């Protein structure tokens, strides 16, 4: 069970890392900070609740069940972070938000103090790593401590559910999907963790034994709730970034034919460890290097070849823009061939500006690369056909 809890906590923390990913010069959003604080405290609560952690804490302190107030205090701190996150979501004047946050922290701070005091007053001399809630459900002071942490956690999660339902009606796209995932995770916490804990504790009060709900059902449901909530927190921030990286990777691959044509002429310095950089950085370096190579090939540009190729493409019925890009591809390929053969450049350099250098994004270079690939294919097919024809 500890391994499953640790895995859920690790995924929880990974979602926090995704949320904190931002440019170094970008301002830190208070809402993002509050969200990450909630994620970190939630993951710490999971780690503290693991039996392996409880045993280690009890052994280090020499106090049986010392891990119980530590875990309950961490869960209460997580509940407090959810309340603060709700205040941030609701918004309003900074003074009002700050005042509500201080009130929430004061309330849950008092709850944590009460948990510690009640544990100190109670008799918990027998170490219980998995069933402390039900084992001490009828023990004075320990009983009140268990009920207090459950009530504090229930108040925060039920408020979170209400806000998610309300806000999901007003937003669209990934944000709505993320809110729905947070709602599902919170409901799993309410039903799978809190309700089972309440049921098992009340069963002990009435002389029955439903401990399996607290020991066998509640922990995995809490882990599943944490995983679902972490997906809801990270999805609106992480998925657009992944899509952007995928687009950059496709553009990087699309530039392959053009890069193989001009790379020998590029003098741009190669960045260290380019293979391990994100596609965005590799694409930026590839663009700079291609532009440098095209600049080096400019003295070899044959305007007459370009014009003949363009006129031929227009005569075939191709659109004007497509004809222009095809003509530029032919001119670049011819310039690269003659530069590689160390032929003399033209005495009067061409002043023509490629379409790929007129646009600010990568689409112009990608179009030029595709035109080069098509021209290579068009010349390769007839050659292979001729070679295959018997004499």
């Amino acid at each position: 069970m500890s391994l499953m809890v640790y895995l859920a906590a690790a995924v929880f923390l990974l979602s926090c890392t995704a949320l904190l990913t931002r440019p170094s010069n970008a301002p830190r959003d208070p809402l993002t900070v509050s969200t990450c604080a909630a994620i970190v405290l939630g993951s710490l609560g999971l780690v503290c609740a693991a039996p392996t952690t409880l045993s280690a804490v009890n052994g280090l302190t020499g106090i049986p069940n010392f891990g119980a107030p530590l875990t309950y205090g961490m869960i209460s701190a997580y509940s407090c972070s959810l309340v603060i996150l709700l205040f941030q979501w609701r918004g309003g004047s900074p003074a009002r938000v700050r005042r509500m946050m201080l009130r929430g922290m004061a309330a849950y701070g008092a709850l944590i103090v009460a948990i510690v005091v009640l544990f100190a007053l109670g008799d918990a001399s027998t170490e219980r790593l998995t069933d402390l809630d039900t084992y001490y459900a009828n023990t004075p002071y320990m009983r009140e401590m268990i009920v207090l942490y459950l009530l504090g956690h229930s108040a925060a999660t039920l408020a979170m559910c209400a806000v998610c339902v309300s806000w999901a009606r007003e937003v669209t796209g990934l944000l709505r999907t993320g809110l729905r995932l947070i709602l599902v995770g919170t409901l799993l916490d309410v039903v799978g963790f809190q309700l089972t804990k309440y049921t098992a504790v009340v069963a002990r009060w009435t002389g029955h034994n439903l401990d399996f709900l607290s020991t066998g059902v509640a922990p995995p449901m809490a882990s599943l709730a944490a995983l679902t909530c972490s997906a809801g927190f990270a999805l609106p921030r992480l998925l657009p970034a992944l899509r952007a990286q995928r687009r950059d990777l496709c553009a990087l691959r699309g530039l392959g034919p053009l890069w193989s044509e001009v790379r020998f002429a590029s003098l741009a310095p190669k960045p260290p460890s380019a293979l391990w950089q994100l596609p965005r950085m590799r694409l930026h370096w590839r663009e700079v290097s291609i532009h440098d190579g095209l600049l080096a090939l400019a003295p070899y540009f044959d305007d007459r070849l370009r014009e003949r190729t363009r006129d031929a493409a227009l005569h075939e019925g191709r659109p004007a823009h497509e004809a222009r890009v095809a003509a530029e591809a032919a001119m670049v390929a011819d310039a690269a061939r003659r530069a590689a053969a160390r032929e003399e450049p033209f005495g009067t350099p061409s002043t023509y500006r490629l379409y790929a250098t007129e646009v600010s994004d990568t689409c112009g270079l990608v179009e030029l690369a595709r035109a080069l690939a098509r021209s290579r294919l068009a010349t390769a097919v007839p050659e292979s056909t001729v070679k295959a024809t018997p004499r």
Side-chain angles (χ1 to χ4, degrees):
M1 185 171 66
S2 296
L3 180 60
M4 180 178 58
V5 172
Y6 290 148
L7 178 61
V11 175
F12 222 19
L13 286 175
L14 283 177
S15 64
C16 177
T17 304
L19 286 172
L20 285 176
T21 302
R22 64 184 180 92
S24 58
N25 59 348
R28 195 176 292 276
D29 181 17
L31 182 58
T32 301
V33 174
S34 299
T35 304
C36 291
I39 292 174
V40 170
L41 290 172
S43 63
L44 289 177
L46 288 172
V47 171
C48 291
T52 302
T53 305
L54 292 174
S55 178
V57 169
N58 296 339
L60 287 174
T61 60
I63 302 175
N65 300 309
F66 184 82
L70 176 64
T71 301
Y72 298 159
M74 196 64 66
I75 293 175
S76 300
Y78 170 62
S79 302
C80 179
S81 68
L82 292 180
V83 172
I84 292 175
L85 184 58
L86 292 177
F87 294 148
Q88 292 281 359
W89 277 357
R90 185 176 180 181
S93 66
R96 183 180 183 279
V97 173
R98 189 182 306 109
R99 185 168 61 253
M100 297 300 293
M101 289 170 57
L102 290 175
R103 289 178 181 177
M105 287 188 287
Y108 278 92
L111 175 62
I112 294 173
V113 171
I115 288 173
V116 175
V117 171
L118 289 171
F119 176 77
L121 294 175
D123 180 14
S125 56
T126 303
E127 184 181 55
R128 311 300 298 185
L129 300 180
T130 59
D131 61 345
L132 184 140
D133 291 343
T134 52
Y135 186 84
Y136 290 106
N138 291 308
T139 303
Y141 300 113
M142 294 293 290
R143 172 182 59 233
E144 288 76 10
M145 179 191 72
I146 294 167
V147 173
L148 270 181
Y149 100 84
L150 285 174
L151 288 176
H153 188 50
S154 297
T157 51
L158 289 175
M160 176 68 79
C161 289
V163 171
C164 287
V165 170
S166 175
W167 198 12
R169 298 171 182 170
E170 304 174 5
V171 297
T172 58
L174 285 177
L175 183 56
R176 174 183 285 183
T177 304
L179 285 172
R180 287 176 174 174
L181 285 173
I182 295 173
L183 176 61
V184 171
T186 309
L187 288 175
L188 285 173
D189 189 305
V190 171
V191 177
F193 175 75
Q194 298 169 36
L195 186 59
T196 54
K197 287 284 187 180
Y198 283 125
T199 304
V201 170
V202 172
R204 280 283 188 157
W205 292 350
T206 58
H208 298 83
N209 188 335
L210 295 177
D211 291 5
F212 75 93
L213 293 176
S214 178
T215 59
V217 177
M221 292 300 292
S223 300
L224 181 59
L227 291 174
T228 309
C229 283
S230 65
F233 284 129
L235 184 65
R237 176 71 174 268
L238 187 60
L239 191 57
L242 291 175
R243 288 176 176 173
Q245 295 294 340
R246 183 176 179 274
R247 288 194 300 268
D248 292 338
L249 186 59
C250 291
L252 183 66
R253 292 174 177 172
L255 291 177
L258 179 58
W259 174 235
S260 64
E261 196 76 51
V262 305
R263 66 184 305 171
F264 75 94
S266 176
L267 299 178
K270 186 176 182 180
S273 305
L275 184 61
W276 303 105
Q277 292 180 349
L278 291 175
R280 173 73 268 179
M281 299 301 298
R282 294 166 59 191
L283 178 62
H284 175 70
W285 174 80
R286 180 67 56 86
E287 289 181 82
V288 171
S289 300
I290 288 177
H291 279 295
D292 186 75
L294 291 174
L295 183 64
L297 294 177
Y300 295 92
F301 284 171
D302 189 346
D303 288 329
R304 290 176 297 177
L305 172 64
R306 175 179 54 80
E307 292 172 357
R308 290 196 305 269
T309 308
R310 183 198 59 195
D311 293 341
L314 291 173
H315 182 70
E316 295 174 358
R318 299 167 71 176
H321 177 72
E322 184 180 338
R324 176 186 177 181
V325 176
E328 291 176 353
M331 183 176 66
V332 169
D334 176 73
R337 178 186 59 77
R338 290 190 291 106
R342 299 186 181 276
E343 297 182 9
E344 289 295 325
F346 291 103
T348 303
S350 173
T351 59
Y352 179 78
R353 187 177 181 184
L354 296 172
Y355 168 74
T357 62
E358 293 180 350
V359 294
S360 57
D361 54 15
T362 317
C363 64
L365 292 175
V366 172
E367 283 190 64
L368 184 59
R370 290 173 179 170
L372 275 171
R374 285 193 296 266
S375 63
R376 289 177 183 174
L377 183 62
T379 55
V381 170
E383 289 180 0
S384 61
T385 304
V386 171
K387 291 181 180 179
T389 302
R391 296 182 179 178

